[in-house]
Amino acid sequence: MILSIFSERLRKLTNAKRKKIELAHYLDVGDSAIQGYLSGRNEPSYEKLVKIATFLNVDPRYLLGIAERRVVHERSRRRHGSRSSKVASYLGNDNDSRTVPSNLLKSTHR
């Protein structure tokens, strides 16, 4: 049941051929792996599921049919944001000449 929900939602989110190709490159898998996920023949590992959700900017629980909300919460993005996004938000734009505080360059993951 969950696999069929996953396949259906993945198909809806990757309806363009180019998006499927980009997803395969992002996951470092072949087209046949993506086709297996889309058809319901294969299920991704937990690591691949999280990568798929990240690529598609959705909550992994949405892909599994556990959550109906498909977009990752903004609060969660801020809490788990990348160092580069923190640096970019501090700088504001490319023309800014301020130096970046060292605490922004350190990982915030605990």
Side-chain angles (χ1 to χ4, degrees):
M1 175 74 167
I2 288 178
L3 190 56
S4 65
I5 293 170
F6 170 77
S7 297
E8 178 185 326
R9 291 188 173 180
L10 185 61
R11 277 193 304 272
K12 286 180 183 176
L13 293 168
T14 60
N15 57 2
K17 183 176 181 176
R18 179 172 173 83
K19 192 150 201 164
K20 292 172 189 159
I21 293 169
E22 290 172 355
L23 178 59
H25 286 295
Y26 182 76
L27 296 175
D28 196 28
V29 298
D31 294 339
S32 61
I34 300 300
Q35 289 303 329
Y37 299 155
L38 293 168
S39 68
R41 285 185 316 230
N42 302 329
E43 68 180 55
S45 66
Y46 176 75
E47 178 183 285
K48 296 283 189 209
L49 173 67
V50 171
K51 284 183 143 187
I52 291 167
T54 300
F55 178 81
L56 297 171
N57 195 31
V58 298
D59 189 319
R61 295 172 299 167
Y62 170 77
L63 290 173
L64 296 175
I66 298 169
E68 291 303 313
R69 186 178 181 102
R70 70 186 246 185
V71 179
V72 177
H73 297 288
E74 185 62 34
R75 186 174 73 227
S76 176
R77 275 192 225 152
R78 280 195 306 262
R79 184 177 32 212
H80 300 295
S82 67
R83 287 181 279 165
S84 60
S85 66
K86 290 178 183 176
V87 170
S89 67
Y90 175 78
L91 292 176
N93 64 41
D94 294 340
N95 299 327
D96 202 326
S97 61
R98 290 180 282 186
T99 58
V100 179
S102 61
N103 65 330
L104 288 178
L105 297 175
K106 294 179 184 172
S107 177
T108 58
H109 298 286
R110 295 179 186 143

